[in-house]
Amino acid sequence: HDNVAHDGAAIFATGVQGNITADILLNRTSEDSLQGCGPDTPPALGAVACAVGVPCNEIVDNISEDGGGQPTAGSTIRGDVSSLLFADRLVMRGNQGGHTIEINGSGDTNNITAKVELSNCLLAANTDQTEVISAHDGGGSSHLHVNNCTIVDNASGSSNTIFSNLNFVEITNDIFDQLGQQVIDFSGAAGDLTAQYVLATNVSTLAGGVALMDGEPEYVDRSNGDYHLLRTSLGVDFAPSGTGSDLDRWPRTVDLIGIPNAFGPMDLGAYEIQNQIVACAVGD
């Protein structure tokens, strides 16, 4: 919270071209695991798990500016030269810079890494000079995955929420509520962009995807930054069943009583509405 830096106002990491990657891991260890942080378990290192309903992995109100207080094009999370970002249950709010997230391969060989995997994330009310997410200039197995995320109310100087030229891009089970913006500027090879079960204000750049819907969801309290979905919202009980936990650590998937399923029982975006949360003034 509340950090100021020229670039990488919250996190800056850099690798070595063709040799060492810069790994930014938030509640992830690798592409294959959603557990832990390294060879030691988090409890062994003294960590205490976030309680259900308590925010975790929050990156808030960080500013990219120079020593004279002038805005720079630096990003809030910046991975430079053979870098990757794996994050599950991540919240980024109120940050200011060139991008909220920028992961850069910075290379010209097939050995240069640039990977982004985001799941159960909320990127909201950030101010970006260009795209909210930029993942670019990687070779080989470089990729971008955005799954079960809500990207909403970010002020951006671009007509697209995401820029990527990586080898493979997968956008699934997401909400893009960015008025005046398309979802992605993708300059990779034809067929390397996969999109399915997406609710967005403009899905035109996801042409050929599965179960794409133009529209805006309804939130519990948008004006105060509560982006949980209302039961009556678009995107509720919309996608096939998923596993694991949502951003609040409530279970996925919950098939709501009395709500017809569009393509399955899972809600789109960061949060899954729970049947057992029924009382007024109880947060969900």
Side-chain angles (χ1 to χ4, degrees), residues 134-150:
S134 179
H136 56 92
D137 297 337
S141 61
S142 295
H143 61 253
L144 167 67
H145 297 171
V146 183
N147 182 54
N148 283 118
C149 288
T150 299

Side-chain angles (χ1 to χ4, degrees), residues 119-199:
S119 55
N120 303 299
C121 72
L122 174 66
L123 308 182
N126 301 287
T127 300
D128 299 300
Q129 296 173 19
T130 50
E131 300 86 9
V132 179
I133 299 172
S134 179
H136 56 92
D137 297 337
S141 61
S142 295
H143 61 253
L144 167 67
H145 297 171
V146 183
N147 182 54
N148 283 118
C149 288
T150 299
I151 302 177
V152 56
D153 289 344
N154 299 284
S156 172
S158 173
S159 59
N160 296 281
T161 302
I162 299 173
F163 169 79
S164 181
N165 59 9
L166 301 184
N167 292 350
F168 181 70
V169 173
E170 179 181 273
I171 297 172
T172 57
N173 308 326
D174 299 306
I175 293 172
F176 290 84
D177 192 356
Q178 294 282 119
L179 287 175
Q181 280 193 321
Q182 303 170 121
V183 173
I184 188 168
D185 176 5
F186 178 64
S187 57
D192 285 352
L193 169 62
T194 300
Q196 53 187 354
Y197 312 108
V198 176
L199 171 63

Side-chain angles (χ1 to χ4, degrees), residues 190-214:
D192 285 352
L193 169 62
T194 300
Q196 53 187 354
Y197 312 108
V198 176
L199 171 63
T201 48
N202 185 340
V203 298
S204 61
T205 56
L206 303 178
V210 175
L212 310 178
M213 176 183 287
D214 274 319

Side-chain angles (χ1 to χ4, degrees), residues 52 231 249-257 272-280 282-284:
V52 171
R231 289 173 64 92
R249 298 187 73 217
W250 292 112
R252 304 257 193 201
T253 301
V254 175
D255 192 358
L256 293 179
I257 298 168
E272 183 81 10
I273 300 175
Q274 308 291 305
N275 269 323
Q276 63 265 36
I277 306 298
V278 295
C280 290
V282 175
D284 183 295

Side-chain angles (χ1 to χ4, degrees), residues 8-176:
I11 297 173
F12 186 98
T14 184
V16 178
Q17 194 175 91
N19 184 18
I20 299 172
T21 61
D23 300 354
I24 303 169
L25 307 173
L26 300 173
N27 205 39
R28 291 284 303 269
T29 57
S30 71
E31 296 160 272
D32 303 316
S33 173
L34 291 173
Q35 307 294 324
C37 301
D40 299 306
T41 64
L45 298 172
V48 179
C50 294
V52 171
V54 176
C56 285
N57 290 332
E58 287 200 332
I59 296 177
V60 179
D61 293 339
N62 302 282
I63 300 175
S64 298
E65 62 181 35
D66 62 22
Q70 297 301 307
T72 71
S75 300
T76 304
I77 293 180
R78 172 69 183 267
D80 199 22
V81 186
S82 295
S83 55
L84 57 85
L85 167 64
F86 296 155
D88 180 54
R89 300 201 313 272
L90 168 68
V91 176
M92 300 186 71
R93 296 180 185 257
N95 303 288
Q96 300 177 40
H99 307 277
T100 299
I101 294 171
E102 182 180 10
I103 300 297
N104 178 17
S106 290
D108 54 6
T109 76
N110 288 334
N111 295 320
I112 299 303
T113 296
K115 297 181 180 181
V116 180
E117 296 189 12
L118 302 173
S119 55
N120 303 299
C121 72
L122 174 66
L123 308 182
N126 301 287
T127 300
D128 299 300
Q129 296 173 19
T130 50
E131 300 86 9
V132 179
I133 299 172
S134 179
H136 56 92
D137 297 337
S141 61
S142 295
H143 61 253
L144 167 67
H145 297 171
V146 183
N147 182 54
N148 283 118
C149 288
T150 299
I151 302 177
V152 56
D153 289 344
N154 299 284
S156 172
S158 173
S159 59
N160 296 281
T161 302
I162 299 173
F163 169 79
S164 181
N165 59 9
L166 301 184
N167 292 350
F168 181 70
V169 173
E170 179 181 273
I171 297 172
T172 57
N173 308 326
D174 299 306
I175 293 172
F176 290 84

